Each structure stands twice: as structure tokens, then as C-alpha cells.
């Protein structure tokens, strides 16, 4: 984030963000790259059938264990009846779409704020195409995961179409979840 990009931050809050804190955070990470290292954590417990529950509370960031969450966030996941569940919660694939939508939205707001673009609204529609033959081990040529994810993001903002196009390029280049999904990332799955 350049000084020119942050000149617009005369107001303490911009797009719902504490703009001064954003600038301070960016400057701190520029001075000490170790502050950029984060470890997010989740714990999951199978509850029976197709139901499991994740708990998310602790994390490591900016050089320390974060203690800001007094209670864990919990998320129950299941499947619709056609996939042997009873709709006790959204499916894992649907949570993935939520994570992607949340991250591209937050990334858009962050980079818009850094560039002085006032956001009026953002809405996103996602679709993920899956072929169950991969999950069910019926066809080795079919991958078990999403075959394609389509994200349609509608942004209304006080800027030109060219600036919105540039903002979308930044989202594609810098959204952590977009990056994680669209490029291979090492995942270690081990029995303990």
C-alpha cells in the first residue's frame, strides 16, 4: 500500500473498516515480515451419520497466540437427504463456497479501501459443479472435487468501470481462499 493509495484516508472509517488501523497494520508488516505469518485452526467431531461439527476459536497471528475469542464458533455440517443426510447443516462443499464468497468479498473491500474506492454494495452468487462418480469411486477419470466453480460478483462502487476491473484483478491475485482453491496447495491428511 503506497502513500498515494492511502492519501484518501482522512476519515477514520472507510467501507466499514478502521482505515487508520489498516495503514498501521500494513506498515508494521512492511517493517517486520514475521508479523505476516498466521496459523488458522479448526477442530472437527463426527456426530453420527453424515453429521459433524467444527469448532474454531484459537489462532496464531502477528507473532502471538490470539486471545480475542472468548467462545468458539461452531459449524454443523451434513448433507441433503439425496446424499444420505437430513439437512442438519450445509454440506462441506457448500461451506467451501461460503468461504470463497467471504474471502473474495473481504479482499475486494480491503483493496478498494486501500485505493479510496467507496463500496456501495457487493453481492456474490456461486455455483459449484460436482460429479459424484469421483466421490463414489465409480470412475477413476472423474475427480471427486468440484469440476468447476463459477463466482459472479456484482459490485456497486464510486469509481469507473476500469477501476472495478483493476479491483477484480487484485481480488483474483490476492484472495487467500481463491488462491488456495484455484492452485494446488499441499494438504497433509494423516491418521493420528
Amino acid at each position: 500500500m503506497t502513500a498515494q493509495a492511502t492519501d484518501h484516508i482522512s476519515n477514520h472509517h472507510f467501507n466499514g473498516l478502521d482505515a487508520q488501523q489498516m495503514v498501521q497494520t500494513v506498515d508494521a508488516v512492511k517493517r517486520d515480515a514475521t508479523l505476516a505469518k498466521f496459523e488458522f485452526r479448526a477442530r472437527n467431531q463426527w456426530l453420527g451419520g453424515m453429521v459433524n461439527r467444527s469448532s474454531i476459536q484459537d489462532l496464531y497471528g502477528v507473532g502471538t497466540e490470539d486471545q480475542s475469542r472468548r467462545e468458539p464458533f461452531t459449524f454443523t455440517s451434513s448433507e441433503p437427504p439425496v446424499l444420505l443426510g437430513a439437512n442438519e447443516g450445509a454440506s462441506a462443499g457448500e461451506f467451501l463456497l461460503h468461504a470463497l464468497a467471504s474471502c473474495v468479498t473481504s479482499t475486494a473491500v480491503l483493496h478498494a479501501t486501500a485505493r479510496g474506492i467507496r463500496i456501495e454494495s457487493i453481492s456474490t452468487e456461486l455455483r459449484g459443479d460436482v460429479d459424484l462418480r469421483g466421490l463414489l469411486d465409480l470412475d477413476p477419470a472423474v475427480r471427486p472435487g468440484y469440476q468447476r466453480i463459477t463466482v459472479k460478483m456484482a459490485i456497486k462502487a464510486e469509481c469507473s468501470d476500469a477501476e472495478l476491473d483493476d479491483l477484480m484483478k487484485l481480488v483474483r491475485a490476492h484472495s487467500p481462499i481463491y488462491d488456495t482453491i484455484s492452485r494446488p496447495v499441499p494438504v497433509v491428511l494423516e491418521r493420528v
Side-chain angles (χ1 to χ4, degrees):
M1 188 179 307
T2 65
Q4 179 185 9
T6 58
D7 284 345
H8 70 277
I9 301 178
S10 57
N11 187 343
H12 189 64
H13 282 86
F14 192 82
N15 288 334
L17 299 181
D18 183 330
Q20 291 175 345
Q21 182 182 1
M22 183 179 74
V23 170
Q24 291 168 356
T25 299
V26 170
D27 288 344
V29 170
K30 283 180 183 177
R31 287 190 307 276
D32 183 357
T34 64
L35 297 177
K37 304 293 183 189
F38 274 70
E39 180 182 81
F40 295 99
R41 303 170 185 144
R43 292 167 183 82
N44 184 275
Q45 184 70 41
W46 175 61
L47 301 178
M50 296 299 278
V51 185
N52 62 86
R53 183 170 295 132
S54 290
S55 173
I56 298 172
Q57 184 172 10
D58 58 317
L59 65 105
Y60 176 87
V62 294
T64 188
E65 287 292 323
D66 181 84
Q67 303 294 320
S68 66
R69 298 170 174 170
R70 298 192 190 285
E71 298 291 327
F73 300 108
T74 58
F75 305 93
T76 301
S77 181
S78 182
E79 297 289 342
V82 69
L83 294 174
L84 307 176
N87 286 324
E88 293 92 337
S91 72
E94 291 163 326
F95 274 112
L96 181 73
L97 295 179
H98 165 68
L100 178 57
S102 175
C103 193
V104 296
T105 299
S106 296
T107 302
V109 171
L110 178 71
H111 284 280
T113 301
R115 281 148 187 79
I117 298 170
R118 188 169 306 279
I119 299 289
E120 294 174 23
S121 67
I122 300 177
S123 60
T124 311
E125 182 180 312
L126 296 89
R127 294 179 187 265
D129 299 318
V130 173
D131 185 332
L132 289 183
R133 293 177 297 166
L135 167 67
L136 299 174
D137 195 21
L138 298 177
D139 185 342
V142 176
R143 68 181 293 175
Y146 280 120
Q147 310 293 310
R148 177 182 178 89
I149 297 174
T150 303
V151 182
K152 294 183 179 183
M153 180 179 271
I155 303 176
K156 291 182 184 175
E158 295 177 6
C159 66
S160 68
D161 283 343
E163 288 171 303
L164 278 180
D165 290 341
D166 287 343
L167 181 61
M168 290 303 294
K169 287 178 188 171
L170 286 166
V171 171
R172 285 184 204 96
H174 299 288
S175 163
I177 303 302
Y178 181 94
D179 177 75
T180 300
I181 293 172
S182 62
R183 297 187 321 160
V185 61
V187 177
V188 177
L189 175 62
E190 57 190 10
R191 187 173 62 83
V192 294

